[in-house]
Amino acid sequence: MKNIIRLLALVLLATFVHGCATMDTAVRKIQREYHQVQGQYYLNRGDFAAGRAAFAPRVAQFPEDPELNYFMARFELGTDKPEAALPFIQKAVKLSRANADYRFWEGVTYWALMKPDRERAAYEKALDIDPDHLSANLYLAHNMLDRGKNAEALRLYDKTLSLNPEEPQAMFNRAVALERMKRDREMKLSVHRYLEIYPDAPLARQGVRMLNKAGDFTWRNHVIGPRTIPLRAVEFLPGSATLTESAEASLKSIGEILSKKTDLSVHVVAYVKGDKTLARLRALAVKNFVSREYPKVAPERLAPSWFDKPENIKTSGRTHSLTQSVNIFTKVQ
């Protein structure tokens, strides 16, 4: 009988211990989920100081938790303190060596510390874990581009675009790599695709300059007031003063700006080599279209002029001669 009682006691003890272990695991799982949700909340809000204040005591309580260390690293980076971030992200990597995200952010931390060799090594380790890690491919490409390793950067940007065909940094910097490699035809195609998707992006103006430097003026930068606006060139149907659809879209962008900035006026200058009459009709067509589509823009705010000669444009020490073109820019009062 004593043996049976002892056996029952052992069984109950084992069940209790197992139950406690299961409960502890469940509690830790809930804690991790809570930390993840709250940590991401602070990151999404950009409230890094509040995140750091909330997570610092938790890291002190659970110093061996990789995710807590990861979030602390992100918060320190967000407050521009990469030196403080480094030990946290290193701890996260040490505790969770198979996590590609932690390796990636280790690389970002080294980038902030201006240690490009260690930055590259961290991205490469992230890609060893996950070859399709989009951010690691992208940032390793940036690292290679900064080093002048244009062919390797191009390969990585292509890999990034295979994962996300519209990743803007990869699209633009792919064109930069191609320009450096003097592959202008491919560069133009790459810039055109970027401008089609991101015409209002900060790098769009540089993209237009790259095209113009290579002799492609299908896009132009127009100085309208304090802003430089990249737009498709104002073009017409052959031999006429009829605007193309893309030209109308560009003029609508200018019309919207002039409607809001009532103190601005612009010059509309048309060039047609050997045909002043056609040049005049085109300048007036631009003026009439904008004033008709945007009644707030008085006709006198668009000053037309025309020339029967090419427009000469200097870019990077070269002069390009456009036999037919329209230039629109702010009129100085």
Side-chain angles (χ1 to χ4, degrees):
M1 178 65 80
K2 290 182 179 179
N3 289 337
I4 294 174
I5 293 173
R6 187 177 298 172
L7 180 60
L8 287 172
L10 289 172
V11 170
L12 290 172
L13 179 62
T15 303
F16 176 75
V17 171
H18 176 72
C20 289
T22 302
M23 184 177 294
D24 184 62
T25 300
V27 169
R28 291 306 304 277
K29 182 180 179 182
I30 292 170
Q31 285 179 332
R32 283 197 298 272
E33 290 174 353
Y34 173 72
H35 293 155
Q36 189 174 54
V37 170
Q38 192 177 30
Q40 200 60 51
Y41 167 80
Y42 286 122
L43 292 178
N44 292 341
R45 285 173 57 89
D47 199 348
F48 307 117
R52 181 175 56 192
F55 274 68
R58 300 178 199 175
V59 176
Q61 185 179 2
F62 303 107
E64 301 303 307
D65 186 307
E67 193 163 48
L68 290 175
N69 281 278
Y70 160 74
F71 278 117
M72 278 298 291
R74 293 290 308 275
F75 298 143
E76 296 290 6
L77 276 176
T79 54
D80 197 24
K81 295 180 179 178
E83 296 88 353
L86 185 60
F88 289 113
I89 196 64
Q90 287 178 328
K91 186 74 172 286
V93 165
K94 181 180 178 181
L95 294 169
S96 187
R97 293 188 178 278
N99 191 306
D101 285 338
Y102 295 174
R103 282 292 189 184
F104 166 72
W105 282 101
E106 182 185 32
V108 174
T109 305
Y110 281 126
W111 168 80
L113 292 169
M114 294 184 288
K115 295 183 177 181
D117 291 338
R118 291 188 176 184
E119 176 197 1
R120 179 190 63 189
Y123 298 149
E124 288 173 343
K125 288 174 182 175
L127 293 175
D128 287 340
I129 299 166
D130 179 7
D132 292 336
H133 193 286
L134 188 144
S135 297
N137 277 286
L138 177 64
Y139 278 61
L140 182 57
H142 294 341
N143 184 281
M144 292 299 175
L145 193 68
D146 289 343
R147 294 167 180 270
K149 296 185 177 182
N150 302 310
E152 182 61 16
L154 180 62
R155 183 188 70 79
L156 289 160
Y157 286 131
D158 284 341
K159 176 63 183 291
T160 302
L161 291 170
S162 75
L163 300 170
N164 178 3
E166 295 186 0
E167 207 300 315
Q169 295 181 56
M171 291 179 71
F172 184 83
N173 284 322
R174 181 180 190 276
V176 172
L178 288 166
E179 182 186 49
R180 291 181 180 181
M181 298 167 73
K182 302 190 184 302
R183 292 163 58 174
D184 281 358
R185 185 184 67 81
E186 295 167 87
M187 178 274 289
K188 291 177 188 178
L189 291 173
S190 203
V191 172
H192 274 287
R193 187 164 183 275
Y194 176 81
L195 291 172
E196 288 291 340
I197 300 173
Y198 302 108
D200 300 320
L203 290 172
R205 295 186 295 274
Q206 184 179 340
V208 172
R209 286 193 291 270
M210 290 166 65
L211 289 179
N212 295 169
K213 179 182 175 183
D216 183 332
F217 291 89
T218 53
W219 284 75
R220 301 281 299 270
N221 283 325
H222 298 273
V223 179
I224 310 296
R227 298 175 59 193
T228 299
I229 313 298
L231 296 171
R232 278 189 169 277
V234 177
E235 296 177 332
F236 302 82
L237 297 179
S240 77
T242 303
L243 291 159
T244 64
E245 288 186 12
S246 64
E248 289 183 353
S250 293
L251 293 177
K252 286 179 179 178
S253 295
I254 292 175
E256 288 171 4
I257 295 171
L258 294 177
S259 293
K260 295 174 183 176
K261 300 288 186 179
T262 56
D263 58 328
L264 292 180
S265 298
V266 295
H267 287 287
V268 178
V269 187
Y271 300 84
V272 179
K273 182 180 179 181
D275 195 335
K276 182 173 284 190
T277 299
L278 183 56
R280 174 179 175 275
L281 291 174
R282 288 182 172 180
L284 293 176
V286 170
K287 173 182 177 178
N288 293 337
F289 177 85
V290 174
S291 59
R292 182 178 69 250
E293 294 290 321
Y294 296 89
K296 291 183 179 180
V297 182
E300 56 268 23
R301 291 174 60 196
L302 297 108
S305 56
W306 49 87
F307 299 93
D308 59 352
K309 61 182 182 180
E311 180 185 9
N312 293 318
I313 303 173
K314 291 184 178 180
T315 60
S316 301
R318 295 178 58 192
T319 299
H320 300 273
S321 184
L322 307 184
T323 57
Q324 300 183 43
S325 66
V326 174
N327 192 9
I328 301 172
F329 53 93
T330 299
K331 179 180 179 182
V332 179
Q333 300 295 339

